Amino acid sequence: MELPRGPCLLAFCASQPRLEEAFRAELRGLGAPLLALWPSGGILLGADDEPIHVPPQPELWRLHGAGSAALTAVLLDDRHRVRLRREAPEAEATLLAAVREAGRAVRSAPRGVGRRELLVNSLAVALGIAVLQACASSRPRLATGVASAGPGVIDVNLIVNGEKRTLSVEPRVVLLDALRENLGLTGAKKGCDMGQCGACTVLVEGQRVNSCLKLVAQLEGASVTTIEGLARGAELHPMQQAFLDEDALQCGYCTPGQILSAVALLQEGKPADDDEIRERMSGNLCRCGAYPNILAAIKSVAGMGH
Amino acid sequence: MRLFTFQRAAEVSEAIAAAPGAAFLAGGTNLVDLMKIEVLNPERVLDISRLQLREIAVRDGGLQIGALASNTAVAEHEEVRRRAPALSEALLSGASPQLRNSATVGGNLMQRTRCAYYRDLATRCNKRQPGTGCDAIGGWTRMHAILGTSESCIAAHPSDMCVALYALDAAVRVRGPSGERELPVSDLHLLPGDHPEMEFALGPSDLIVSVRVPLNDLAARSRYVKVRDRQSYAFALASCAAAVQAPGGVVRLARFALGGVGTKPWRVPQAESWMQGRPASRETFTRAAEMALQGARPHRDNAFKVELAKRTAVRALMLSAGAQA
């Protein structure tokens, strides 16, 4: 079959989706056609026209490698090049969310912007987000299916920066992700995510650890200090102040980990010399190479002079 | 990371009863890492970190270290530093302070190889997927073993601590359903042979509860030397834990174990006994090191390890003997 001219959204669905009137209204508002296909047939929803039923399109399924997920969505630009291809565990709500969000973005855009490009961009962003959300909300279902003998989400109590917090997380969630995603504490950074760079360093029970390798499930009752908990009100921790004074950073991504590691280092014992500081800070990598000033900051707090 | 059931054991007996089919989780620095990259995919994870196995004590002429003592706690322990310095030095030469705070002695004994192919699901690996082949052989082998290898596996053993424990003649206490037993640490790790997936001489319900290090004059003289691609925070290209007793410049007793070069920490008793009665000299140590490296089978990128390991051993033996390096 011939695809409609201009940008177009293809939706390969494992079974015939119910695209209700609400969905069609969103689609009309957006002004982009959708070709929804399922194994035994399909439907073309134009911007203005009545729906057109189409026969099965096996060559399109093959061309876009569709069929393994509940939804494979493919966004074609005005020259029918693939702009985005995403798979989701659910079709109807995902498509509705994508079309609704794209419509909102298109309507709120200033006039004068190239309409077709705006449409494609908005749809790409909205589709990406909708698919992510669909994947995220389908996880608990997987949990009960796979780990039948055990709990899906469990509750864990932590004391984070002096405050009691209860987290509801799957056992596979590591402290770094829980801090960032569940508690909104984004100071601990995800660098390598495999215990090698130290950007995720936090203090657990006063000891520095790589939060990317700590399962939250293990930490019931533990107290955690992140970079957000270091200052006393408006007064920075001396190590934070020293990092500013000594200009001990460039991009700043490794800095929260560097500071917490340095705080712990001095708590563990005063270093004898520069080399000992370097060795004991070896678990914190700085891709910008701000090491000389990091060293200077630590020395100034340790009272080691320059 | 795949989904799993999480369980927590409050007692050792509880842990052993629940063990079959589960992965013991202590510090997590190795297991969680391997679960994240889906090399290890246990369906059940049994948290043992709350068991009362953290004690470090001197008892009956030996150092007894609980399996859950952290690398930091052992390395910084005054008795360890004074009476088994190689153990402290080896621990401090490994990983980073953050990792050492979490990592435990039991976990370190069970540490998996850092072979890049083992860790890469896109490659073939007999250790990860028995019978599929080995992409390390014929691949990039700078970090791989030259001793104890087989046609199936050339993965190097990664631990520093174990190298020191081998040289110190440590023993591992294991508790299982039928009670407690002790085995020499050198019997804990298996050579790859045709079954590199079988790595430990442990049953499915066995839990390491402690490590015993004999304390004597030899242990007090022990030293650890590690050579790596950067000055800190890297796995060994070659390392050596050595202990030499040489009153009057003549070797009475000597032991050494090599790291970074074997599929397990490498010890050659014949090379050690050969030194007895000979002068504690560079010549003696060099000859012993050569004996230890006999049978080395380097691959494309690691032929340098033969000479590097010898020199590392000589350096460690000289240090321990108090000779001029």
Side-chain angles (χ1 to χ4, degrees), chain A residues 139 142-143 146-151 154 170-172 174 193-198 201 207-210 212-215 217-221 261 268 279-285, chain B residues 1-6 8 25-30 32-33 35-37 43-45 47-50 70 72 92-93 95-102 114 119 228 231-233:
Chain A
R139 272 195 200 126
L142 283 175
V146 176
S148 55
I154 56 173
E170 289 176 357
R172 64 175 168 168
V174 294
D193 206 20
M194 56 200 310
Q196 298 181 4
C197 76
T201 301
Q207 291 201 311
R208 47 176 162 162
V209 301
N210 303 95
C212 73
L213 291 182
K214 265 297 168 214
L215 293 181
Q218 270 193 301
L219 296 177
E220 173 64 37
S261 199
E268 291 156 10
E279 167 61 32
R280 287 169 56 192
M281 286 297 288
S282 66
N284 293 82
L285 307 186
Chain B
M1 198 187 303
R2 298 197 196 165
L3 296 158
F4 56 85
T5 304
F6 183 82
R8 182 180 297 144
L25 173 65
T29 52
N30 197 212
V32 175
D33 179 34
M35 286 169 67
K36 279 184 138 180
I37 58 176
E43 288 181 13
R44 218 150 42 81
V45 170
D47 180 13
I48 55 165
S49 64
R50 308 214 168 198
S70 73
T72 302
L92 291 175
S93 77
S96 68
Q98 286 96 314
L99 290 167
R100 294 196 293 268
N101 280 343
S102 288
R114 300 298 295 192
R119 294 173 59 84
R228 44 195 153 169
Q231 201 170 339
S232 182
Y233 199 13

Coordinates of all heavy atoms in Angstrom, one line a residue, chain A residues 139 142-143 146-151 154 170-172 174 193-198 201 207-210 212-215 217-221 261 268 279-285, chain B residues 1-6 8 25-30 32-33 35-37 43-45 47-50 70 72 92-93 95-102 114 119 228 231-233:
Chain A
R139 N 6.8 -3.2 35.0 CA 7.8 -4.0 35.7 C 7.2 -4.8 36.9 O 7.5 -6.0 37.0 CB 8.9 -3.1 36.3 CG 10.0 -3.0 35.3 CD 11.2 -2.4 35.9 NE 12.1 -1.9 34.8 CZ 12.5 -0.7 34.7 NH1 12.3 0.1 35.7 NH2 13.3 -0.3 33.7
L142 N 6.0 -8.1 35.7 CA 7.1 -9.1 35.5 C 7.6 -9.7 36.8 O 7.8 -10.8 36.9 CB 8.3 -8.3 34.8 CG 8.1 -8.0 33.3 CD1 9.3 -7.2 32.8 CD2 8.0 -9.3 32.5
A143 N 7.6 -8.8 37.8 CA 8.2 -9.3 39.1 C 7.4 -10.4 39.7 O 8.0 -11.4 40.1 CB 8.2 -8.1 40.1
V146 N 8.2 -13.7 37.4 CA 9.5 -14.3 37.4 C 9.8 -14.8 38.8 O 10.2 -16.0 39.0 CB 10.6 -13.3 36.9 CG1 11.9 -14.0 37.1 CG2 10.3 -13.0 35.5
A147 N 9.8 -13.9 39.8 CA 10.2 -14.2 41.2 C 9.0 -14.7 42.0 O 8.6 -14.0 42.9 CB 10.9 -13.0 41.8
S148 N 8.5 -15.8 41.7 CA 7.2 -16.2 42.3 C 7.4 -16.5 43.8 O 6.4 -16.4 44.5 CB 6.7 -17.5 41.5 OG 7.7 -18.5 41.5
A149 N 8.6 -17.0 44.2 CA 8.7 -17.4 45.6 C 9.0 -16.2 46.5 O 8.9 -16.3 47.7 CB 9.9 -18.3 45.7
G150 N 9.2 -15.0 45.9 CA 9.6 -13.9 46.8 C 8.9 -12.6 46.5 O 8.0 -12.5 45.7
P151 N 9.3 -11.6 47.3 CA 8.6 -10.3 47.2 C 9.0 -9.6 45.9 O 10.1 -9.7 45.4 CB 9.1 -9.6 48.4 CG 10.4 -10.2 48.7 CD 10.4 -11.6 48.2
I154 N 9.8 -4.2 48.0 CA 9.9 -4.4 49.4 C 10.1 -3.0 50.0 O 10.6 -2.1 49.4 CB 11.0 -5.3 49.9 CG1 12.4 -4.8 49.2 CG2 10.8 -6.7 49.4 CD1 13.6 -5.6 49.8
E170 N 12.3 -2.6 44.4 CA 12.6 -4.0 44.1 C 13.9 -4.3 44.8 O 14.8 -3.5 44.9 CB 12.7 -4.2 42.6 CG 11.4 -4.1 41.9 CD 11.5 -4.2 40.4 OE1 12.7 -4.3 39.9 OE2 10.5 -4.2 39.7
P171 N 14.1 -5.6 45.1 CA 15.4 -6.0 45.7 C 16.6 -5.7 44.9 O 17.7 -5.5 45.3 CB 15.3 -7.5 46.0 CG 13.8 -7.7 46.0 CD 13.2 -6.7 45.1
R172 N 16.4 -5.6 43.5 CA 17.6 -5.4 42.7 C 18.0 -3.9 42.6 O 19.0 -3.6 41.9 CB 17.3 -5.9 41.3 CG 16.2 -5.1 40.6 CD 16.0 -5.6 39.2 NE 14.7 -5.1 38.6 CZ 14.4 -5.1 37.3 NH1 15.2 -5.7 36.5 NH2 13.3 -4.6 36.9
V174 N 19.8 -0.6 43.4 CA 21.0 -0.2 44.2 C 20.8 1.2 44.8 O 19.9 2.0 44.4 CB 22.3 -0.2 43.3 CG1 22.6 -1.6 42.9 CG2 22.1 0.8 42.1
D193 N 28.8 3.3 36.9 CA 27.8 2.4 37.4 C 28.3 0.9 37.6 O 27.6 0.0 37.6 CB 26.6 2.3 36.4 CG 25.3 1.9 37.1 OD1 25.2 2.1 38.3 OD2 24.3 1.5 36.4
M194 N 29.6 0.8 37.8 CA 30.2 -0.5 38.1 C 31.3 -0.5 39.1 O 32.2 -1.3 39.1 CB 30.6 -1.2 36.8 CG 31.5 -0.5 35.9 SD 31.6 -1.1 34.2 CE 31.7 -2.8 34.4
G195 N 31.3 0.5 40.0 CA 32.2 0.5 41.1 C 33.6 0.9 40.7 O 34.6 0.5 41.4
Q196 N 33.8 1.6 39.7 CA 35.2 1.9 39.2 C 35.5 3.4 39.3 O 36.7 3.7 39.4 CB 35.4 1.3 37.8 CG 35.3 -0.2 37.8 CD 35.6 -0.8 36.4 OE1 36.0 -0.1 35.5 NE2 35.4 -2.1 36.3
C197 N 34.5 4.3 39.2 CA 34.9 5.7 39.1 C 34.7 6.5 40.4 O 35.3 7.6 40.5 CB 34.1 6.3 38.0 SG 32.4 6.7 38.4
G198 N 33.9 6.1 41.3 CA 33.7 6.8 42.6 C 32.8 7.9 42.5 O 32.6 8.6 43.6
T201 N 30.1 7.9 45.2 CA 30.5 7.7 46.6 C 29.5 8.4 47.6 O 29.2 9.6 47.4 CB 31.9 8.3 46.8 OG1 32.8 7.5 45.9 CG2 32.3 8.1 48.3
Q207 N 31.0 5.4 56.6 CA 32.1 4.9 55.8 C 31.8 5.1 54.3 O 30.6 5.0 53.9 CB 32.2 3.4 56.0 CG 32.7 3.0 57.4 CD 33.3 1.6 57.4 OE1 32.7 0.7 56.8 NE2 34.5 1.5 57.9
R208 N 32.8 5.5 53.6 CA 32.6 5.8 52.2 C 32.4 4.5 51.4 O 33.2 3.5 51.6 CB 33.7 6.6 51.6 CG 35.1 6.2 51.9 CD 36.2 7.0 51.2 NE 37.5 6.9 51.9 CZ 38.6 7.2 51.3 NH1 38.6 7.6 50.0 NH2 39.8 7.0 51.9
V209 N 31.4 4.4 50.6 CA 31.2 3.2 49.7 C 30.7 3.7 48.4 O 30.3 4.8 48.2 CB 30.1 2.3 50.3 CG1 30.5 1.8 51.7 CG2 28.7 3.0 50.4
N210 N 30.8 2.8 47.4 CA 30.2 3.0 46.1 C 28.8 2.7 46.1 O 28.4 1.5 46.2 CB 30.9 2.1 45.0 CG 32.4 2.3 45.0 OD1 33.2 1.6 45.7 ND2 32.9 3.3 44.3
C212 N 26.6 2.6 43.9 CA 26.2 1.8 42.7 C 26.2 0.3 42.9 O 25.7 -0.4 42.1 CB 26.9 2.3 41.4 SG 28.6 1.6 41.4
L213 N 27.0 -0.1 43.9 CA 27.1 -1.5 44.2 C 26.5 -2.0 45.5 O 26.7 -3.1 45.9 CB 28.6 -1.9 44.2 CG 29.4 -1.8 42.8 CD1 30.8 -2.3 43.0 CD2 28.7 -2.6 41.7
K214 N 25.6 -1.1 46.0 CA 25.0 -1.5 47.3 C 23.5 -1.7 47.1 O 22.8 -0.8 46.7 CB 25.1 -0.3 48.3 CG 26.3 -0.3 49.3 CD 26.2 -1.5 50.2 CE 27.6 -1.6 50.9 NZ 28.0 -2.9 51.2
L215 N 23.0 -2.9 47.3 CA 21.6 -3.1 47.2 C 20.9 -2.4 48.4 O 21.3 -2.6 49.5 CB 21.3 -4.6 47.2 CG 21.8 -5.4 46.0 CD1 21.4 -6.9 46.1 CD2 21.2 -4.8 44.7
A217 N 18.2 -3.2 49.6 CA 17.6 -4.2 50.4 C 18.4 -4.6 51.6 O 18.0 -5.1 52.6 CB 17.2 -5.4 49.5
Q218 N 19.8 -4.5 51.4 CA 20.7 -4.9 52.5 C 20.8 -3.8 53.6 O 21.5 -4.1 54.6 CB 22.1 -5.0 51.9 CG 22.4 -6.4 51.4 CD 23.9 -6.5 51.1 OE1 24.5 -5.7 50.3 NE2 24.6 -7.4 51.8
L219 N 20.3 -2.6 53.3 CA 20.6 -1.5 54.2 C 19.6 -1.1 55.2 O 19.6 0.0 55.8 CB 20.9 -0.3 53.3 CG 22.1 -0.4 52.3 CD1 22.2 0.8 51.5 CD2 23.4 -0.7 53.1
E220 N 18.6 -2.0 55.5 CA 17.6 -1.7 56.5 C 18.2 -1.1 57.7 O 19.1 -1.6 58.4 CB 16.8 -3.0 56.8 CG 15.8 -2.8 57.9 CD 14.7 -1.9 57.6 OE1 14.2 -1.9 56.5 OE2 14.2 -1.2 58.5
G221 N 17.7 0.1 58.1 CA 18.1 0.8 59.3 C 19.4 1.6 59.1 O 19.8 2.3 60.1
S261 N 34.4 11.5 49.6 CA 35.5 10.6 49.8 C 36.6 11.3 50.6 O 37.2 10.7 51.5 CB 36.1 10.2 48.4 OG 36.9 9.1 48.5
E268 N 39.2 9.0 58.5 CA 39.9 7.8 58.7 C 41.3 8.0 59.3 O 41.8 7.1 60.0 CB 40.0 7.0 57.4 CG 38.7 6.5 56.8 CD 38.7 6.3 55.3 OE1 39.8 6.4 54.7 OE2 37.7 6.1 54.7
E279 N 47.0 8.3 47.0 CA 46.7 6.8 47.1 C 45.3 6.6 47.7 O 44.5 5.8 47.2 CB 47.8 6.1 47.9 CG 47.4 4.7 48.3 CD 47.2 3.7 47.2 OE1 47.8 3.9 46.1 OE2 46.3 2.8 47.3
R280 N 45.0 7.3 48.7 CA 43.8 7.1 49.4 C 42.6 7.8 48.7 O 41.4 7.5 49.1 CB 43.9 7.6 50.9 CG 44.8 6.6 51.7 CD 45.1 7.2 53.1 NE 44.0 7.5 53.8 CZ 44.0 8.3 54.9 NH1 45.2 8.7 55.4 NH2 42.9 8.5 55.6
M281 N 42.8 8.6 47.7 CA 41.8 9.1 46.9 C 41.7 8.4 45.5 O 41.0 8.9 44.6 CB 42.0 10.6 46.6 CG 41.7 11.5 47.8 SD 40.0 11.5 48.4 CE 39.2 12.4 47.0
S282 N 42.4 7.3 45.4 CA 42.5 6.6 44.1 C 41.1 6.1 43.6 O 41.0 5.8 42.5 CB 43.5 5.5 44.1 OG 43.1 4.5 45.0
G283 N 40.2 5.9 44.5 CA 38.9 5.4 44.1 C 38.0 6.5 43.5 O 36.8 6.2 43.2
N284 N 38.5 7.7 43.3 CA 37.7 8.7 42.7 C 38.4 9.3 41.5 O 39.4 10.0 41.6 CB 37.4 9.9 43.7 CG 36.5 9.4 44.9 OD1 37.0 8.8 45.8 ND2 35.2 9.7 44.8
L285 N 37.8 9.0 40.4 CA 38.5 9.4 39.1 C 37.9 10.8 38.7 O 36.7 11.1 38.9 CB 38.2 8.4 38.0 CG 38.6 7.0 38.3 CD1 38.5 6.1 37.1 CD2 40.0 6.9 38.9
Chain B
M1 N 19.9 -5.5 35.6 CA 19.9 -6.6 36.6 C 18.6 -7.4 36.5 O 17.5 -6.8 36.4 CB 20.2 -6.1 38.0 CG 20.6 -7.2 38.9 SD 20.7 -6.6 40.7 CE 21.8 -5.2 40.5
R2 N 18.7 -8.7 36.5 CA 17.4 -9.5 36.5 C 16.8 -9.5 37.8 O 17.4 -9.2 38.8 CB 17.7 -10.9 36.0 CG 18.3 -10.9 34.6 CD 18.2 -12.3 34.0 NE 19.1 -12.3 32.8 CZ 19.5 -13.4 32.2 NH1 19.1 -14.6 32.6 NH2 20.3 -13.3 31.2
L3 N 15.5 -9.9 37.8 CA 14.8 -9.9 39.1 C 15.2 -11.1 39.9 O 15.6 -12.1 39.4 CB 13.3 -10.0 38.8 CG 12.8 -8.7 38.1 CD1 11.5 -9.1 37.4 CD2 12.6 -7.6 39.0
F4 N 15.1 -11.0 41.2 CA 15.4 -12.1 42.1 C 14.7 -11.9 43.4 O 14.2 -10.8 43.7 CB 17.0 -12.1 42.4 CG 17.5 -10.9 43.0 CD1 17.5 -10.6 44.4 CD2 18.1 -9.9 42.2 CE1 18.0 -9.5 44.9 CE2 18.6 -8.7 42.7 CZ 18.5 -8.5 44.1
T5 N 14.6 -13.0 44.2 CA 14.1 -13.0 45.5 C 15.1 -12.7 46.5 O 16.2 -13.2 46.4 CB 13.4 -14.4 45.8 OG1 12.5 -14.7 44.8 CG2 12.8 -14.3 47.2
F6 N 14.8 -11.8 47.4 CA 15.8 -11.4 48.4 C 15.5 -12.0 49.7 O 14.3 -11.9 50.2 CB 15.8 -9.9 48.5 CG 16.8 -9.3 49.4 CD1 18.2 -9.1 49.0 CD2 16.5 -8.9 50.7 CE1 19.1 -8.6 49.9 CE2 17.5 -8.4 51.6 CZ 18.8 -8.2 51.1
R8 N 17.1 -12.7 53.9 CA 18.1 -12.3 54.8 C 18.3 -13.3 55.9 O 17.3 -13.8 56.4 CB 17.7 -10.9 55.4 CG 18.7 -10.4 56.4 CD 18.3 -9.1 57.0 NE 18.2 -8.1 55.9 CZ 17.2 -7.1 55.9 NH1 16.3 -7.1 56.9 NH2 17.1 -6.3 54.9
L25 N 25.2 -13.1 49.6 CA 25.5 -11.7 49.4 C 26.1 -11.1 50.7 O 25.5 -11.1 51.7 CB 24.3 -10.9 49.0 CG 24.5 -9.4 48.8 CD1 25.4 -9.1 47.7 CD2 23.1 -8.7 48.7
A26 N 27.4 -10.7 50.6 CA 28.0 -10.0 51.7 C 28.2 -8.5 51.4 O 27.2 -7.7 51.5 CB 29.3 -10.7 52.1
G27 N 29.4 -8.1 51.0 CA 29.6 -6.7 50.7 C 29.0 -6.3 49.3 O 28.8 -5.1 49.1
G28 N 28.9 -7.3 48.4 CA 28.3 -7.0 47.1 C 29.2 -6.4 46.1 O 28.7 -6.3 44.9
T29 N 30.4 -6.1 46.4 CA 31.3 -5.4 45.4 C 31.6 -6.3 44.2 O 31.8 -5.8 43.1 CB 32.6 -5.0 46.0 OG1 33.2 -6.1 46.7 CG2 32.4 -3.9 47.1
N30 N 31.5 -7.6 44.4 CA 31.8 -8.5 43.2 C 30.4 -9.0 42.7 O 30.2 -8.9 41.5 CB 32.7 -9.6 43.7 CG 33.3 -10.4 42.5 OD1 33.6 -11.5 42.5 ND2 33.5 -9.7 41.4
V32 N 27.2 -8.0 43.1 CA 26.3 -7.0 42.5 C 26.8 -6.5 41.2 O 26.0 -6.4 40.2 CB 26.0 -5.9 43.5 CG1 25.1 -4.8 42.8 CG2 25.3 -6.4 44.8
D33 N 28.1 -6.3 41.1 CA 28.7 -5.9 39.8 C 28.4 -7.0 38.7 O 27.9 -6.6 37.6 CB 30.2 -5.8 40.0 CG 31.0 -5.4 38.8 OD1 30.4 -4.6 38.0 OD2 32.1 -5.9 38.6
M35 N 26.1 -9.2 38.7 CA 24.6 -9.3 38.5 C 24.2 -8.1 37.6 O 23.3 -8.3 36.7 CB 23.8 -9.3 39.8 CG 23.9 -10.6 40.5 SD 23.3 -10.5 42.2 CE 21.6 -10.2 41.9
K36 N 24.8 -7.0 37.7 CA 24.4 -5.8 36.9 C 24.7 -6.1 35.4 O 23.9 -5.7 34.6 CB 25.2 -4.6 37.3 CG 24.5 -3.9 38.5 CD 25.3 -2.6 38.9 CE 24.3 -1.5 39.2 NZ 25.0 -0.3 39.5
I37 N 25.8 -6.8 35.2 CA 26.2 -7.0 33.8 C 25.6 -8.4 33.4 O 26.0 -8.9 32.3 CB 27.7 -6.9 33.5 CG1 28.5 -7.8 34.4 CG2 28.1 -5.5 33.7 CD1 30.0 -7.8 34.1
E43 N 18.5 -16.6 41.1 CA 17.1 -16.3 41.3 C 16.8 -15.9 42.7 O 15.8 -15.4 43.0 CB 16.3 -17.5 40.8 CG 16.3 -17.7 39.3 CD 15.5 -18.8 38.8 OE1 14.7 -19.4 39.6 OE2 15.6 -19.2 37.6
R44 N 17.7 -16.3 43.6 CA 17.6 -16.0 45.0 C 18.9 -15.5 45.5 O 20.0 -16.0 45.3 CB 17.2 -17.3 45.8 CG 16.2 -17.1 46.8 CD 15.3 -18.4 47.1 NE 16.1 -19.6 47.0 CZ 16.8 -20.1 48.0 NH1 16.8 -19.5 49.2 NH2 17.4 -21.2 47.9
V45 N 18.8 -14.4 46.2 CA 20.0 -13.8 46.8 C 19.8 -13.8 48.3 O 18.8 -13.3 48.9 CB 20.2 -12.3 46.3 CG1 21.3 -11.6 47.2 CG2 20.5 -12.3 44.9
D47 N 21.1 -12.6 51.8 CA 22.0 -11.6 52.5 C 22.5 -12.2 53.8 O 21.8 -12.5 54.7 CB 21.1 -10.4 52.8 CG 21.9 -9.3 53.5 OD1 23.1 -9.4 53.5 OD2 21.2 -8.3 54.0
I48 N 23.9 -12.3 53.8 CA 24.5 -12.9 55.0 C 25.2 -11.8 55.8 O 26.0 -12.1 56.7 CB 25.5 -14.0 54.7 CG1 26.5 -13.6 53.6 CG2 24.7 -15.3 54.2 CD1 27.7 -14.5 53.5
S49 N 25.1 -10.5 55.3 CA 25.9 -9.5 55.9 C 25.7 -9.2 57.3 O 26.5 -8.5 58.0 CB 25.8 -8.2 55.1 OG 24.4 -7.7 55.2
R50 N 24.6 -9.7 57.9 CA 24.3 -9.4 59.3 C 24.7 -10.6 60.2 O 24.5 -10.5 61.4 CB 22.8 -9.2 59.5 CG 22.3 -8.1 58.5 CD 21.3 -7.2 59.0 NE 21.2 -6.1 58.1 CZ 20.6 -4.9 58.3 NH1 20.1 -4.7 59.5 NH2 20.6 -4.0 57.4
S70 N 35.7 -6.7 57.0 CA 35.9 -6.0 55.7 C 37.4 -6.0 55.4 O 38.2 -6.1 56.3 CB 35.4 -4.6 55.8 OG 36.2 -3.8 56.6
T72 N 39.0 -3.5 54.7 CA 39.6 -2.3 55.5 C 39.9 -2.8 56.9 O 41.0 -2.5 57.4 CB 38.6 -1.2 55.5 OG1 38.4 -0.8 54.1 CG2 39.2 0.0 56.2
L92 N 45.7 -3.7 51.0 CA 45.7 -2.2 50.7 C 46.1 -1.9 49.2 O 45.9 -0.8 48.7 CB 46.7 -1.5 51.6 CG 46.2 -1.5 53.1 CD1 47.3 -0.9 54.0 CD2 44.9 -0.7 53.2
S93 N 46.7 -2.9 48.6 CA 47.1 -2.7 47.2 C 45.9 -3.0 46.3 O 46.0 -2.8 45.0 CB 48.3 -3.6 46.8 OG 47.9 -5.0 46.6
A95 N 41.9 -2.7 44.9 CA 40.7 -1.9 44.8 C 40.9 -0.5 45.3 O 42.0 0.1 45.2 CB 39.6 -2.6 45.5
S96 N 39.9 0.1 45.8 CA 39.9 1.5 46.3 C 39.4 1.5 47.8 O 38.8 0.5 48.2 CB 39.0 2.3 45.5 OG 37.6 2.0 45.7
P97 N 39.6 2.6 48.5 CA 39.1 2.6 49.9 C 37.6 2.3 49.9 O 37.1 1.6 50.8 CB 39.4 4.0 50.3 CG 40.6 4.4 49.5 CD 40.4 3.8 48.2
Q98 N 36.8 2.9 49.0 CA 35.4 2.6 49.0 C 35.0 1.1 48.9 O 34.2 0.6 49.6 CB 34.7 3.4 47.8 CG 34.6 4.9 48.0 CD 35.8 5.6 47.3 OE1 36.9 5.2 47.4 NE2 35.5 6.6 46.6
L99 N 35.7 0.5 47.9 CA 35.5 -0.9 47.7 C 35.9 -1.8 48.9 O 35.3 -2.7 49.3 CB 36.1 -1.4 46.4 CG 35.5 -0.9 45.1 CD1 36.4 -1.1 44.0 CD2 34.2 -1.5 44.9
R100 N 37.1 -1.4 49.5 CA 37.6 -2.1 50.6 C 36.7 -2.0 51.8 O 36.7 -2.9 52.7 CB 39.0 -1.7 50.9 CG 40.0 -2.0 49.8 CD 41.5 -1.9 50.4 NE 41.9 -0.5 50.7 CZ 42.5 0.3 49.9 NH1 42.7 0.0 48.6 NH2 42.8 1.5 50.3
N101 N 36.0 -0.9 52.0 CA 35.1 -0.7 53.1 C 33.9 -1.7 53.0 O 33.4 -2.1 54.0 CB 34.5 0.7 53.1 CG 35.5 1.7 53.7 OD1 36.4 1.3 54.4 ND2 35.3 2.9 53.5
S102 N 33.5 -2.1 51.8 CA 32.4 -3.0 51.6 C 32.8 -4.4 51.5 O 32.2 -5.3 52.0 CB 31.6 -2.6 50.4 OG 30.9 -1.4 50.6
R114 N 38.6 -11.3 36.5 CA 38.3 -10.1 35.7 C 38.5 -10.3 34.2 O 38.5 -9.3 33.5 CB 39.3 -9.0 36.2 CG 39.1 -8.7 37.7 CD 37.8 -8.2 38.1 NE 37.4 -6.9 37.5 CZ 36.4 -6.2 37.9 NH1 35.6 -6.6 38.9 NH2 36.1 -5.0 37.3
R119 N 33.4 -11.4 31.4 CA 32.5 -10.3 31.7 C 31.7 -9.7 30.6 O 30.9 -8.8 30.7 CB 33.3 -9.1 32.4 CG 33.9 -9.5 33.7 CD 34.8 -8.4 34.2 NE 34.2 -7.1 34.4 CZ 33.5 -6.8 35.5 NH1 33.4 -7.6 36.5 NH2 32.9 -5.6 35.6
R228 N 51.6 -3.2 38.4 CA 50.3 -3.0 37.6 C 50.5 -1.9 36.6 O 51.5 -1.2 36.6 CB 49.2 -2.7 38.5 CG 49.5 -1.7 39.6 CD 48.5 -1.7 40.8 NE 49.2 -1.3 42.0 CZ 48.6 -0.9 43.1 NH1 47.3 -1.0 43.2 NH2 49.2 -0.6 44.2
Q231 N 49.7 3.2 39.0 CA 50.3 3.1 40.3 C 49.3 2.6 41.4 O 49.7 2.1 42.4 CB 50.9 4.5 40.7 CG 51.9 4.4 41.8 CD 52.6 5.7 42.0 OE1 52.6 6.6 41.1 NE2 53.2 5.9 43.1
S232 N 48.0 2.9 41.2 CA 47.1 2.5 42.2 C 45.8 2.0 41.5 O 45.5 2.3 40.3 CB 46.7 3.7 43.1 OG 45.8 3.3 44.1
Y233 N 45.0 1.3 42.2 CA 43.6 1.0 41.8 C 43.7 0.2 40.4 O 43.0 0.7 39.5 CB 42.8 2.3 41.7 CG 41.3 2.1 41.7 CD1 40.7 0.9 42.0 CD2 40.5 3.2 41.4 CE1 39.4 0.7 42.0 CE2 39.1 3.0 41.4 CZ 38.6 1.8 41.7 OH 37.2 1.7 41.7

